Amino acid sequence: MIVMKFGGTSVGDVARVCAAAAIVEGQPQPRTAVVSAAAGVTNLLLEAAQAAASGDAGRAGAVTAEIRGKHLAITSGIGDGHERAAALEVLDRLHAALDHALVDVANAGALSARDSDRIVATGEKAMSVLMAAMLRARGTPAVHVWADRVIATDDRFGGARPDHARTRELAGREVRPQLDAGATVVFTGFIGRAPDGATTTLGRGGSDYSATLLGAALDADEIQIWTDVPGVLSADPRQVPGARVVPGISYDEAQELAHFGAKVLHPRTIRPAVARGIPVRILSTFAPEKPGTLVTRDAAVESVKAVTALTNLLLLSIDVPELEDLAAASAAVFGALRDDRIEVVAASQASSRRRMTYVVDAGSHGGCACVEQRMEQALDAADVEAEVGCLEDVALVAAVGAGAAAAPRTLSLMLAVLGREDIPVLASSQQLSNVALTATVPARDAARAVRALHETFIRPQPASARGRRPRRSDLLAESLRVG
Ligand code: ADP
Ligand code: ASP
Ligand code: MG
């Protein structure tokens, strides 16, 4: 059983949907294709919802017309008249439901997370209908299944957490019979079902996670993430043009990469695959013949494989007058961060033992002013005397690679590189069992830090350099590289 997932760019227009359909058909059955919304559609849906909430019906109407236009353009590529008409009918119902939901939001004058998820699910639902119709029109039996009947979650709208046991049960009921009947199942990414049956979402970029959740629920033999890059690269290609494909990485490494900002995988993607030992492959729909990246339990080489950056973070610090107050202060702060669902990306205690620092995901939490005030309230409520500090525009850069990240030499080299580049290190972390080594730096320096670290740890080999005799400077750089 293969589960494939196609991202937004890979189903962005008629030609891309056709190319994705051909890839689906090339895989052995039974098979499931998890689809994202067409590129840009999720953002447009959110824009329409926000416009409706702010009373701008004109803008909301213009945006929904654009969404409808994108879907209709793809419909025109469905080669069979009957399939095209049937798909149009379902799309009409989806677009009408969207319009109704937007009217509800306009009447409420505010956008709840519950409404937002219901609205934003339109993109994935429409794509599943389009892809299934496209496959059938090409002669491949296919059905669409919406994940708000299958992926059971809690009710944290906008970032719901899955219920694996219930999902397994629902997948057995809703998906398995279709596969057994010989159909290719086209499944919506990104969305799930709250306990009360409402539609939830797994967070932006969550279709990767949908694929592994479904793959685990169906005991898939392999999960394939089809995207617009030829695998996991040694850095974000938009930051480092010379980044190269990493052929093999371990689950741990992939998890760290995703956690520390490699957008190619949603941060939660890997865990469901680990639990059942399912290999995950990252492949490009633009170059389907390339081998891509294979993620499995064991790492192939113990070297730094990729450098990533996570931006939009805050550095929060808590100082207490007496050492014995630190545990109470930490408890209050961690409690407040948990209550407010603010993710702690890294935390450390300074050597004076009177200061804790937390690198937190600022996300939509209103920056330092709000977070600082919230922590002060929590410390007051716990009756702990402490001083709260907060720094905005912080980034975390990470060098990812099992073995290498745990080597003290890697940390010294990382700090030396950042020092040479004059990039201040606000905090850094290394532990013996680390798979990633991290340094917190000002956000404005993050891209430069990634480039410099990539140059040192991974340095792409230009084609012209291959085969020539190494220069002394190359050998020196090689001896500095870890792994
Ligand atoms: P999809 O729509 O297929 O889910 P995404 O845009 O979410 O695609 O993720 C793919 C993008 O992730 C790539 O186009 C690339 O710009 C970005 N990216 C960031 N870091 C990495 C990395 N280390 N390896 C590969 N891609 C990366
Ligand atoms: N369409 C959703 C998003 O844009 C989910 C995804 O692409 O994975 O966030
Ligand atoms: Mg993505």
Side-chain angles (χ1 to χ4, degrees), residues 251-270:
Y251 289 135
D252 281 347
E253 291 169 327
Q255 218 153 290
E256 294 288 77
L257 265 159
H259 179 67
F260 290 127
K263 192 188 168 218
V264 66
L265 291 174
H266 179 274
R268 296 188 198 279
T269 306
I270 294 299

Side-chain angles (χ1 to χ4, degrees), residues 16-59:
R16 301 310 311 153
V17 175
C18 280
I23 289 169
V24 172
E25 289 161 350
Q27 294 297 324
Q29 282 183 303
R31 61 190 176 210
T32 303
V34 176
V35 289
S36 295
V41 165
T42 304
N43 285 347
L44 288 170
L45 285 161
L46 287 170
E47 192 184 336
Q50 271 138 15
S54 64
D56 190 347
R59 179 85 203 120

Side-chain angles (χ1 to χ4, degrees), residues 221-225 230-233 245-254 257 265 270 277-283 290-301 305:
D221 299 304
E222 181 169 300
I223 297 160
Q224 302 173 349
I225 307 288
V232 170
L233 303 177
V245 176
V246 185
I249 51 172
S250 68
Y251 289 135
D252 281 347
E253 291 169 327
L257 265 159
L265 291 174
I270 294 299
I278 305 169
V280 179
R281 232 178 254 281
I282 293 93
L283 297 149
K290 293 199 171 157
T293 297
L294 180 61
V295 190
T296 50
R297 202 170 294 284
D298 300 311
V301 199
K305 292 180 178 157

